[in-house]
């Protein structure tokens, strides 16, 4: 216990020093010339990269934005330098799923909107680079957008995203543009979505590999969010662009770069590969929620989630828990069939996990929901005798899996856990007992 307290104390000192270091650098900005300011900003961005999410969220507030705006108004901070700082804030926020509230009320955020409108209203000599920087900051820093401004942002950033050069500078520009677009959640774009442009970006990457991993994940995320408002995209996503095949390939390649043996205590912060892997799982959860079309790639995709789960389960709870949720969503998907769950190994993985003694209520709920879906799909009415025989064979295989893993012991453990549990989902508890009685 003393060791834990000591470690926590050391972490607190480190966090405190990061905050103090950033504050000192920020306070020094207004006393620097242009060259010195740029060097300070580079240092400040490096400090941000060292922070964890809690530290970042406590430091990046509307108050900080208002101070920056005041410096800009008083001409103590150049707009280009301010945008470099703000873009890095946004990059960190979106990549690490950080939630910062009240940003849209900051004076600098309002300034973005004014500057975007002013620059866009110009009939000639528009500063395209300034517009791109403004658009990226506008989309990265917040999730609440003016729909009129949004309709201006998207075509401009899509133009950047369509760049084909494979050099490092262009890759960074494309990555930032696509990351900004990926932060646009369920906003209905209407006719502003140019599906041909998105297809071009994805298909060119599949052939030429000109994008960074984060850029490629981001363009898929941008497309999947549009899927919620336009179900006509499903065929293009599943069968033309091959989401399942591409997500499987990307996740399995990312797994190579993750040190799965590193414990939670040893992990000071997530690597970029770990964060991109989490972003892929988020995207797949959205897709599973809405997809109806099934192809042969579905089984491979679910199998890759199982492999990520098995790699992460001992030392990386955030990823393993996200995998459990993804497997639940895959089971719930109308495209997913019972034989897909068997072939992918997801039933084995869930049976194995449900015997663990250290799960929280949310994970237990997800695991039980997975079994409820299995039951419902097994009870679906068969259309003909051939289908009925196939369903009977599937039931036999599922029950054999239960027996192989010793499901009788699981029932006793779950019964005790559910009775004592605080999550209190009566319908889930009832369904759980109904399920095991059915077995």
């Amino acid at each position: 216990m003393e060791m834990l307290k000591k470690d926590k104390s050391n972490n607190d000192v480190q966090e405190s020093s990061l905050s103090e270091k950033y504050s000192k650098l920020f306070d020094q900005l207004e006393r620097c010339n242009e060259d010195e300011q740029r060097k300070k900003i580079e240092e400040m961005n490096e400090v941000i990269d060292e922070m964890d999410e809690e530290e970042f969220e406590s430091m990046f507030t509307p108050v900080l934005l208002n101070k920056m705006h005041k410096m800009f108004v008083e001409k103590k901070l150049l707009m280009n330098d301010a945008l470099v700082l703000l873009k890095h804030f946004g990059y960190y926020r979106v990549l690490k799923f950080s939630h910062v509230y009240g940003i849209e009320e900051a004076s600098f955020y309002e300034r973005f909107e004014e500057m975007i409108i002013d620059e866009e209203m110009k009939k000639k000599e528009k500063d395209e680079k300034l517009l791109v920087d403004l658009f990226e900051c506008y989309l990265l820093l917040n999730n609440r957008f003016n729909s009129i401004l949004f309709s201006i942002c998207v075509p401009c950033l899509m133009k950047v995203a369509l760049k084909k050069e494979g050099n490092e500078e262009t890759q960074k520009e494309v990555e930032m543009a696509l990351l900004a677009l990926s932060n646009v959640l369920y906003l209905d774009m209407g006719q502003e979505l140019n599906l041909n442009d998105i297809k071009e970006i994805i298909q060119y990457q599949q052939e030429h590999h000109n994008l960074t991993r984060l850029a490629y994940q981001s363009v898929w995320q941008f497309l999947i969010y549009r899927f919620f408002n336009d179900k006509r995209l499903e065929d293009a996503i599943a069968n033309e662009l091959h989401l399942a095949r591409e997500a499987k390939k990307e996740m399995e390649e990312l797994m190579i770069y993750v040190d799965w043996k590193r414990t939670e205590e040893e992990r000071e912060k997530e690597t970029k590969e770990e964060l991109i892997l989490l972003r892929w799982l988020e995207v797949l959860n959205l897709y599973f929620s809405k997809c109806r079309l099934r192809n042969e790639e579905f089984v491979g995709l679910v199998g890759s989630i199982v492999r990520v789960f098995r790699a992460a389960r001992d030392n990386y709870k955030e990823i393993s828990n996200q995998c459990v949720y993804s497997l639940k969503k895959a089971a719930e998907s109308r495209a997913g069939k019972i034989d897909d769950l068997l072939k992918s190994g997801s039933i084995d993985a869930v049976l194995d996990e449900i015997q663990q003694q250290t799960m929280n209520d949310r994970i237990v709920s997800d695991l039980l929901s997975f079994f409820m879906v299995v039951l419902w799909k097994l009870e679906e009415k068969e259309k003909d005798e051939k289908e009925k025989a196939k369903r009977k064979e599937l039931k036999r295989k599922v029950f054999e899996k239960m027996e192989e893993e010793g499901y009788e012991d699981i029932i006793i453990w779950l019964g005790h856990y559910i009775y004592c549990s605080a999550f209190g989902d009566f319908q889930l508890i009832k369904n759980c007992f109904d399920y095991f009685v059915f077995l």
Side-chain angles (χ1 to χ4, degrees):
M1 182 64 73
E2 285 184 14
M3 181 64 71
L4 288 175
K5 287 180 179 179
K6 184 178 179 181
D7 290 343
K8 187 177 187 305
S9 175
N10 288 339
N11 288 336
D12 288 343
V13 170
Q14 173 68 10
E15 289 180 359
S16 177
S17 65
L18 288 174
S19 293
E20 290 174 0
K21 186 174 181 179
Y22 191 90
S23 297
K24 285 180 180 178
L25 289 169
F26 184 85
D27 291 340
Q28 292 167 7
L29 275 180
E30 59 183 331
R31 297 190 295 273
C32 297
N33 60 37
E34 291 182 22
D35 290 337
E36 291 172 337
Q37 274 195 351
R38 290 192 178 93
K39 289 180 181 179
K40 292 287 184 204
I41 288 170
E42 288 178 7
E43 290 182 60
M44 292 166 73
N45 287 342
E46 289 173 1
V47 173
I48 289 175
D49 291 338
E50 295 175 19
M51 292 182 177
D52 61 22
E53 289 87 333
E54 184 178 353
E55 178 76 2
F56 175 79
E57 290 170 9
S58 68
M59 181 271 300
F60 181 53
T61 64
V63 174
L64 180 65
L65 275 184
N66 288 335
K67 286 181 180 179
M68 290 179 63
H69 184 246
K70 184 173 182 290
M71 288 175 63
F72 171 71
V73 171
E74 294 174 352
K75 299 186 178 181
K76 296 177 180 178
L77 181 65
L78 294 176
M79 175 54 76
N80 286 340
D81 292 338
L83 290 173
V84 170
L85 268 175
L86 293 169
K87 199 185 293 190
H88 200 78
F89 281 138
Y91 182 91
Y92 182 105
R93 189 191 80 81
V94 173
L95 185 60
K96 296 207 173 184
F97 310 98
S98 291
H99 300 284
V100 182
Y101 300 99
I103 294 299
E104 71 280 356
E105 298 171 2
S107 52
F108 222 141
Y109 199 75
E110 294 174 2
R111 186 84 177 200
F112 289 158
E113 297 186 344
E114 294 172 4
M115 291 184 69
I116 289 171
I117 293 171
D118 290 345
E119 197 65 33
E120 187 63 28
M121 291 289 287
K122 291 180 181 178
K123 294 184 179 180
K124 57 182 181 179
E125 296 183 358
K126 293 180 183 179
D127 188 336
E128 296 292 339
K129 185 182 184 307
L130 174 61
L131 273 174
V132 169
D133 288 339
L134 288 169
F135 290 153
E136 289 173 349
C137 286
Y138 184 67
L139 297 184
L140 287 168
L141 293 174
N142 188 41
N143 294 112
R144 292 166 55 185
F145 313 116
N146 179 307
S147 58
I148 296 174
L149 290 181
F150 179 69
S151 67
I152 300 171
C153 292
V154 173
C156 181
L157 293 184
M158 285 299 296
K159 184 178 177 181
V160 176
L162 282 162
K163 290 183 178 182
K164 301 291 195 303
E165 298 88 345
N167 60 71
E168 186 176 351
E169 183 179 352
T170 300
Q171 283 187 329
K172 287 182 178 179
E173 290 177 10
V174 172
E175 180 181 272
M176 190 65 79
L178 288 172
L179 185 67
L181 289 169
S182 76
N183 193 44
V184 181
L185 305 184
Y186 304 103
L187 191 62
D188 188 356
M189 296 173 58
Q191 299 302 313
E192 292 300 327
L193 172 60
N194 191 330
L195 182 58
N196 289 332
D197 287 345
I198 296 178
K199 284 183 180 179
E200 182 179 341
I201 293 169
I202 291 175
Q203 290 171 336
Y204 193 86
Q205 163 68 7
Q206 290 171 355
E207 184 176 353
H208 299 281
H209 308 288
N210 64 309
L211 299 178
T212 65
R213 293 193 185 280
L214 178 57
Y216 192 44
Q217 186 280 328
S218 295
V219 70
W220 274 110
Q221 185 164 319
F222 178 64
L223 179 58
I224 296 299
Y225 276 126
R226 310 289 74 74
F227 178 38
F228 269 76
N229 293 313
D230 190 351
K231 303 304 179 290
R232 296 170 298 175
L233 296 175
E234 184 166 23
D235 185 58
I237 290 170
N239 296 326
E240 188 175 354
L241 300 176
H242 301 282
L243 169 65
R245 180 193 71 194
E246 293 299 299
K248 173 182 179 294
K249 176 176 69 69
E250 290 293 312
M251 288 196 297
E252 293 188 350
E253 289 181 3
L254 285 163
M255 285 180 66
I256 297 170
Y257 297 97
V258 177
D259 182 1
W260 297 109
K261 294 181 180 179
R262 191 172 50 153
T263 65
E264 294 282 355
E265 291 75 18
E266 294 169 339
R267 185 180 294 105
E268 294 180 7
K269 58 181 180 179
E270 302 94 338
T271 65
K272 192 172 183 178
E273 288 78 16
E274 292 165 356
L275 292 167
I276 298 171
L277 191 54
L278 281 166
R279 283 170 62 86
W280 268 115
L281 291 169
E282 288 273 338
V283 166
L284 294 174
N285 294 341
L286 296 172
Y287 182 67
F288 290 144
S289 297
K290 295 293 181 180
C291 73
R292 296 164 295 180
L293 297 181
R294 179 189 179 278
N295 59 30
E296 293 305 315
E297 296 168 357
F298 189 92
V299 177
L301 173 61
V302 179
S304 70
I305 296 173
V306 171
R307 286 188 284 280
V308 174
F309 165 72
R310 291 195 182 282
R313 59 175 296 188
D314 291 333
N315 294 326
Y316 207 137
K317 286 302 179 186
E318 185 176 3
I319 290 180
S320 66
N321 291 349
Q322 187 66 262
C323 286
V324 169
Y325 184 73
S326 296
L327 291 175
K328 182 190 86 164
K329 300 302 288 186
E332 292 173 349
S333 167
R334 283 174 287 179
K337 306 299 181 184
I338 290 295
D339 50 348
D340 293 336
L341 301 177
L342 279 168
K343 290 176 184 176
S344 67
S346 57
I347 289 179
D348 292 300
V350 170
L351 277 170
D352 192 24
E353 180 66 8
I354 208 165
Q355 298 182 71
Q356 303 302 310
Q357 301 290 325
T358 57
M359 294 180 292
N360 61 39
D361 293 343
R362 182 69 265 159
I363 300 305
V364 171
S365 178
D366 287 341
L367 292 168
L368 294 181
S369 294
F370 177 94
F371 281 119
M372 295 309 102
V373 175
V374 170
L375 172 61
W376 296 329
K377 290 195 172 185
L378 284 173
E379 289 182 327
E380 289 176 353
K381 292 183 179 180
E382 299 83 2
K383 295 179 181 178
D384 52 41
E385 288 302 315
K386 185 177 180 181
E387 185 72 20
K388 187 174 182 180
K390 182 179 178 182
R391 183 61 58 90
K392 186 175 181 180
E393 177 63 13
L394 281 172
K395 286 184 179 181
R396 185 187 64 78
K397 288 181 179 179
V398 172
F399 297 162
E400 284 179 357
K401 290 287 183 186
M402 303 293 181
E403 291 176 344
E404 287 171 10
E405 297 294 334
Y407 73 87
E408 297 91 348
D409 294 336
I410 301 174
I411 295 172
I412 295 170
W413 179 82
L414 281 175
H416 175 73
Y417 188 87
I418 290 171
Y419 182 79
C420 300
S421 172
F423 67 83
D425 188 334
F426 176 78
Q427 188 60 39
L428 189 56
I429 294 172
K430 178 181 181 300
N431 288 340
C432 178
F433 284 120
D434 288 347
Y435 173 71
F436 288 116
V437 168
F438 171 78
L439 289 179

